[in-house]
Amino acid sequence: MATRLRKTRRYRGSRNHGWGQVAQHRASGHKGGLGVSGQLKHHYSSMLKYNPHHFGHGSTRPPHPNVTRKWASVRDLNDLYSSYGSLEGDRHVIDLGRAGYEKLLGGGSVSKPYTVKIPASTKSANEKVKAAGGEVLTDNG
């Protein structure tokens, strides 16, 4: 505020400039509180205007989310063929991606040549299926 608009010239020599006896118009209550006090009371409108996201928090995210994954090993192909397999021409085809499996792992061994359709597979699983005379068809080539 400009000095010419203030009334302090008139109050020179009056000690408290119109604010009573001792320490009035001086403490934190006259300022509306210290810090961010009054955000839900008398400073609510300024909180809505200048800091509308002051209260609340973001959604909680667990540090280790439990993600259910469905994997199959090479040793399980004989059993999976009886459930999800089909005969296309002279090839034994197992569509594990349609059955909900996400990845083929290389554990165990396979005895028959299968054509396995799955979104992902490990390098050892590819080698074992190829060694038995089959092939692995993945989404990434």
Side-chain angles (χ1 to χ4, degrees), residues 82-137:
S82 62
S83 301
Y84 305 111
S86 63
L87 190 62
E88 295 179 6
D90 58 343
R91 299 187 318 167
H92 298 282
V93 178
I94 307 172
D95 194 355
L96 293 179
R98 192 175 46 136
Y101 288 91
E102 297 178 13
K103 193 172 188 178
L104 182 65
L105 304 178
S109 61
V110 62
S111 58
K112 296 179 182 176
Y114 292 114
T115 300
V116 182
K117 296 179 182 178
I118 194 156
S121 63
T122 62
K123 187 176 180 180
S124 61
N126 290 342
E127 292 171 357
K128 290 181 180 182
V129 172
K130 283 184 182 179
E135 63 176 338
V136 177
L137 303 175

Side-chain angles (χ1 to χ4, degrees), residues 13-33:
S14 69
R15 181 172 176 162
N16 294 325
H17 291 232
W19 294 106
Q21 284 189 337
V22 179
Q24 294 181 32
H25 195 67
R26 189 185 297 176
S28 61
H30 294 281
K31 292 182 274 188

Side-chain angles (χ1 to χ4, degrees), residues 40 47 51-60:
L40 282 173
M47 183 268 299
N51 193 8
H53 303 294
H54 178 75
F55 293 107
H57 56 84
S59 63
T60 56

